[in-house]
């Protein structure tokens, strides 16, 4: 990463910002904190957002309101076909050289849209408001069952008040008596038929009293949990009023439907255009807001930005050409602490999708090694061993290809995941062929053909195979003979675990040496590298004919050295107690190595569950007449699908765990800040 600094003439800043935004290769630094420094204050003043941002924001609000209205009347249902095979968005080609051109274009479009949309939209809003009031009125009138009187009399007259509402049923017993007391008898109450509301039984009522007694009556009614109904401007009995309201609602709905159809056709006509307009405005707003990150003098702007080293010269040329020479640009090494410098992962194209797995853990710190390239082979190998079934691998490959090529067309994350699943599926097919796994032991259970007992399978995860059995041991060492598949896979898992840890330790050793931490390199990685190498040497000597005592002695010496080094490390950091605890680091190393035995565990889980499904299906097929074969097929489909999903997910998780916990801990810390380029995000428009 390089640091770019530029001083640009104020007349040229818009052109420079636009060019950098379209190219998307720099991350602009916010200078507001730096400009609080006294020395910087004498040179520069903070720059506000561009003047046109307020106008752009206003246009965005207007365009957004119309788009929201279109969405409300033209709700699009997404089918499964659309989800599984999404169509790329057709982008509108645009070419604007300044914000004035964009604003003029947008104002012209919005003017045309408004001339067609505003009138029906306003009328629809009026109808919705009227409908809402009518529905509320309808609800209140519907509660007045058993109170047949002309609703036009409700309200306050010159001398009398007539009102309506409801109270809980249990409050009706003494209501009239209490009202007569406070109104000196000048009150009357009529009750209607009870109804249920909010899980409570309520009773509607009409209350009549003198106007001068109204406040006392209402005050007393509140004590009885009186809910007043606001019914005005209505004539006729409740039944007649409800009939009239229903008629009005039908008329409103008919008019609404007509307006909605009209707005739907306008949405079809203008929605894509407005989406492009809104995107253009969003881009212009981002450009205008970027000014607030600059420093300013009377006639110039000063900006700083991070740029990947590979693009540094390109960024410099863009600024100089956009400013037509009225700019001074300097590219140098970053002068901030490493934790403030952004990180951009840069891997070969076949490896790049796996960066998402690294990012799931943490981005590397600036100048820390990117572990993505080291993660790929181990992840694919471990995944293949854990799932280890050729048919499952074929399914996974097909799913991966579908996600990669279909859904990935419009979703970058899906494209990366699909690519990873495709390679993981291929690795699983290879390991399935090696272990003779084709839906577990399906061929043996249903056809009596055991592939693992033929030369077409190298190892049987669940027992003996053609090549590895009690008569033909894979090897014998120190009194231990590897005569079956599980033992062979366990030995391979431990071996590959040691190699995996060795690679991680070597990378960590190199990183410490490059930083000048020679002592840390030896204590943290070097001694464990020597221990692993001693294990390989000791085992190699035993294969060469040396006694187990000699091999064990060599390994024991380095075990002792590792313990002593760990105790020394603990003593330096915390004294005697830490030194004693440091001796336990050897058990941590042993735990890391044995953790790779999970390769065998998941391999056995896949094969064992597949075998159980096959046996169940076979038993049902043989014991249940007529429909047995149908039930057996269902058991096979559901059982193997469950096995595929659960163990496929388990293989993914545990493959990552072996890297995140055992492998990365040897050399990788992470915690870097993602490079966030100043880039125009175009989904509906393109400048090409």
């Amino acid at each position: 990463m390089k640091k770019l600094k530029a001083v640009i003439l104020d007349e040229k800043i818009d052109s420079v910002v636009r060019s950098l935004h379209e190219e998307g290769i720099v991350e602009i630094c916010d200078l507001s904190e730096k400009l609080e420094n006294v020395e910087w204050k004498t040179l520069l003043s903070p720059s506000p957002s561009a003047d046109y941002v307020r106008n752009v924001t206003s246009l965005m609000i207007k365009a957004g309101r119309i788009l929201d209205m279109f969405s409300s009347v033209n709700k699009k249902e997404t089918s499964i076909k659309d989800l599984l095979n999404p169509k790329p968005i057709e982008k509108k080609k645009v070419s604007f050289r300044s914000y004035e051109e964009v604003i003029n274009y947008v104002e012209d479009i919005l003017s045309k849209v408004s001339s067609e949309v505003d009138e029906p939209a306003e009328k629809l809003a009026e109808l919705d408001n009227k409908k809402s009031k009518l529905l509320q009125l309808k609800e209140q009138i519907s509660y007045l069952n058993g109170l047949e009187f002309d609703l036009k009399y409700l309200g306050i007259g010159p001398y009398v008040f007539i009102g309506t509402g409801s109270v809980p049923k249990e409050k009706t017993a003494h209501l009239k008596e209490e009202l007569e007391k406070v109104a000196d008898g000048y009150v009357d109450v009529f009750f209607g038929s009870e109804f249920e509301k909010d899980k409570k039984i309520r009773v509607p009522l009409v209350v009549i009293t003198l106007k001068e007694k109204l406040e006392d009556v209402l005050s007393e009614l509140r004590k009885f949990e009186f809910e007043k109904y606001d019914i005005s401007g209505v004539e006729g009995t409740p039944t007649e009023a409800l009939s009239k309201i229903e008629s009005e609602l039908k008329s409103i709905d008919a008019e609404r439907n007509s307006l909605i159809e009209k707005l739907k056709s306008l949405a079809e006509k203008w929605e894509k255009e407005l989406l492009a307009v809104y995107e253009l405005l969003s881009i212009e707003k981002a450009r205008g807001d970027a000014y607030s990150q600059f420093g300013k003098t009377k006639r110039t702007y000063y900006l700083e930005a991070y740029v990947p080293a590979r693009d540094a010269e390109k960024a410099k040329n863009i600024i100089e050409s956009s400013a037509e020479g009225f700019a001074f640009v300097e590219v140098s090494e970053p002068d901030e602490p490493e934790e403030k410098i952004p990180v951009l992962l840069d891997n070969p194209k076949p490896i790049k999708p796996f960066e998402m797995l690294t990012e799931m853990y943490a981005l590397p710190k600036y100048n820390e090694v990117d572990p993505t390239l080291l993660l790929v082979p181990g992840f694919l190998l471990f995944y293949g061993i854990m799932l280890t079934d050729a048919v499952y691998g074929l399914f996974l490959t097909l799913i991966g290809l579908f996600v990669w090529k279909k859904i990935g067309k419009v979703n970058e994350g899906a494209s990366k995941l699909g690519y990873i699943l495709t390679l993981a599926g291929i690795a699983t097919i290879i390991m399935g062929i090696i272990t003779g796994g084709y839906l577990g032991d399906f061929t043996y259970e249903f056809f009596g053909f055991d592939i693992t007992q033929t030369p077409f399978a190298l190892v049987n995860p669940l027992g003996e195979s053609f090549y590895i059995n009690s008569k033909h041991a894979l090897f014998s060492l120190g009194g231990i003979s590897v005569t079956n598949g599980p033992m062979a896979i366990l030995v391979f898992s431990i071996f590959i675990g040691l190699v995996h840890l060795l690679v991680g330790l070597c990378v960590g050793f190199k990183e410490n040496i490059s930083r000048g931490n020679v002592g840390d390199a030896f204590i943290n990685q070097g001694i464990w590298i020597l221990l692993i190498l001693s294990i390989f040497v000791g085992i190699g000597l035993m294969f060469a004919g040396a006694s187990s005592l000699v091999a064990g002695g060599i390994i024991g010496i380095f075990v002792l050295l590792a313990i002593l080094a760990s105790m020394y490390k603990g003593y330096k950091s915390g004294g005697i107690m830490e030194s004693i605890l440091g001796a336990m680091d050897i058990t941590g190393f042993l735990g890391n190595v044995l953790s790779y035995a999970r390769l065998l565990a998941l391999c056995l889980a896949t094969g064992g569950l597949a075998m159980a499904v096959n046996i169940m299906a076979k038993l049902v097929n043989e014991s249940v007449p007529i429909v047995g074969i149908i039930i057996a097929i269902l058991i096979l489909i559901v059982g193997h699908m469950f096995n595929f999903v659960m163990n496929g997910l388990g293989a993914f998780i545990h493959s990552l765990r072996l890297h995140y916990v055992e492998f990365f801990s040897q050399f990788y810390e992470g915690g870097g800040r993602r490079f966030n380029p100043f880039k125009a995000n175009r989904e509906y428009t393109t400048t090409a």
Side-chain angles (χ1 to χ4, degrees), residues 45 151 159 170 174 212 216 248 250 347 372 394 443 537 599:
S45 60
L151 298 174
Y159 307 105
E170 62 272 13
H174 305 289
E212 61 193 60
D216 295 330
E248 286 187 60
K250 287 180 181 178
N347 288 286
T372 305
L394 178 61
T443 57
V537 169
L599 296 175

Side-chain angles (χ1 to χ4, degrees), residues 477-524:
L477 189 66
I480 299 175
S481 293
V482 177
T483 58
N484 56 59
M487 195 65 182
I489 295 174
L490 177 61
V491 170
F492 178 77
S493 300
I494 300 301
F495 171 77
I496 204 67
L498 287 169
V499 172
H500 203 227
L501 291 174
L502 180 62
V503 171
L505 288 165
C506 288
V507 173
F509 185 84
K510 178 179 176 298
E511 287 291 295
N512 270 326
I513 292 294
S514 65
R515 294 192 183 101
N517 302 326
V518 179
D520 288 344
F522 179 77
I523 293 176
N524 293 330

Side-chain angles (χ1 to χ4, degrees), residues 44 118 121 124 267 290 383 445 484 509 553 576 640 652:
L44 297 166
D118 285 355
L124 181 64
Y383 193 100
E445 292 294 342
N484 56 59
F509 185 84
I576 297 295
H640 282 295
F652 194 93

Side-chain angles (χ1 to χ4, degrees), residues 344-360 363 372 376 379-380 399-424 652 674:
L344 176 65
L345 301 182
D346 185 20
N347 288 286
K349 189 175 180 180
I351 304 298
K352 200 159 190 65
F354 286 88
E355 289 176 356
M356 70 181 295
L357 300 184
T358 298
E359 292 172 7
M360 284 170 62
L363 282 168
T372 305
V376 175
F379 175 82
L380 295 178
I399 292 170
L401 284 170
F402 182 83
V403 173
W404 178 18
K405 296 298 184 181
K406 291 290 185 179
I407 303 176
K409 290 186 298 185
V410 296
N411 188 301
E412 185 181 359
S415 177
K416 292 178 180 179
L417 179 61
Y419 179 82
I420 293 170
L421 293 179
T422 300
L423 294 188
F652 194 93
R674 185 190 301 275

Side-chain angles (χ1 to χ4, degrees), residues 80 92 117 139 238-239 330 387 398 412 416 651 663 670:
I80 296 177
K92 181 180 179 65
V117 169
E139 181 185 19
T239 302
E330 177 185 271
L387 194 54
L398 294 175
E412 185 181 359
K416 292 178 180 179
F663 186 58

Side-chain angles (χ1 to χ4, degrees), residues 48-304:
S49 296
D51 296 336
Y52 62 82
V53 168
R54 182 176 297 178
N55 192 7
V56 167
T57 303
S58 176
L59 292 171
M60 284 180 70
I61 293 171
K62 187 174 181 179
R65 284 175 178 169
I66 298 174
L67 283 170
D68 288 342
M69 187 270 296
F70 282 164
S71 297
S72 66
V73 300
N74 192 28
K75 295 178 180 178
K76 298 175 182 177
E77 295 183 3
T78 304
S79 65
I80 296 177
K81 182 180 178 181
D82 294 332
L83 290 173
L84 297 179
N85 188 23
K87 294 179 181 178
I89 296 171
E90 186 178 344
K91 297 186 178 184
K92 181 180 179 65
K93 291 184 179 180
V94 295
S95 178
F96 299 108
R97 290 172 294 179
S98 67
Y99 66 85
E100 291 98 341
E101 291 184 11
V102 174
I103 290 175
N104 290 336
Y105 170 76
V106 169
E107 287 178 338
D108 180 56
I109 295 294
L110 289 179
S111 176
K112 292 177 181 177
V113 176
S114 295
S115 66
E116 297 184 33
V117 169
D118 285 355
E119 184 181 346
E122 288 173 5
K123 197 164 185 180
L124 181 64
E126 290 174 7
L127 289 174
D128 285 340
N129 186 44
K130 186 177 180 181
K131 182 178 179 179
S132 177
K133 290 180 179 178
L134 283 174
L135 288 172
Q136 183 179 1
L137 187 61
K138 177 186 174 183
E139 181 185 19
Q140 292 185 346
I141 294 175
S142 68
Y143 294 144
L144 304 180
N145 293 324
L147 293 170
E148 289 299 310
F149 67 101
D150 197 332
L151 298 174
K152 71 179 181 181
Y153 295 118
L154 291 174
I156 302 177
Y159 307 105
V160 177
F161 165 78
I162 303 175
T164 185
S166 66
V167 294
K169 182 180 179 181
E170 62 272 13
K171 301 285 185 178
T172 59
H174 305 289
L175 174 63
K176 190 171 182 179
E177 295 175 14
E178 297 299 324
L179 290 179
E180 287 178 345
K181 289 179 183 178
V182 298
D184 298 326
Y186 295 104
V187 66
D188 206 349
V189 180
F190 302 92
F191 294 102
S193 303
E194 62 187 47
F195 62 91
E196 184 177 349
K197 182 183 179 183
D198 299 331
K199 298 181 179 180
K200 282 187 176 182
I201 303 299
R202 300 183 69 87
V203 177
L205 60 84
V206 174
V207 60
I208 304 171
T209 187
L210 290 177
K211 184 178 178 181
E212 61 193 60
K213 302 294 183 179
L214 177 59
E215 289 301 321
D216 295 330
V217 169
L218 290 179
S219 177
E220 188 66 23
L221 279 171
R222 282 192 284 271
K223 298 177 183 178
F224 288 83
E225 299 180 29
F226 176 68
E227 181 182 343
K228 186 176 180 294
Y229 296 154
D230 184 15
I231 299 174
S232 59
V234 183
E235 293 185 0
T237 65
T239 302
E240 293 169 344
L242 288 174
S243 178
K244 186 177 179 181
I245 289 172
E246 284 291 346
S247 178
E248 286 187 60
L249 287 173
K250 287 180 181 178
S251 176
I252 288 173
D253 285 339
E255 194 173 352
R256 282 186 79 258
N257 291 336
S258 176
L259 289 171
I260 287 173
E261 288 302 317
K262 184 176 181 179
L263 289 170
K264 279 184 178 180
S265 64
L266 290 173
E268 293 292 333
K269 178 181 178 181
W270 289 112
E271 190 170 30
K272 289 182 180 178
E273 189 76 49
L274 281 177
L275 288 170
V277 160
Y278 193 85
E279 183 171 273
L280 289 171
L281 291 171
S282 299
I283 290 171
E284 291 304 321
K285 185 176 185 301
R287 290 169 177 169
D289 287 338
Y291 283 55
S292 64
Q293 297 177 288
F294 304 158
K296 188 180 180 183
T297 67
K298 187 175 181 180
R299 289 298 312 277
T300 65
Y301 283 91
Y302 173 74
L303 68 87
E304 293 184 2

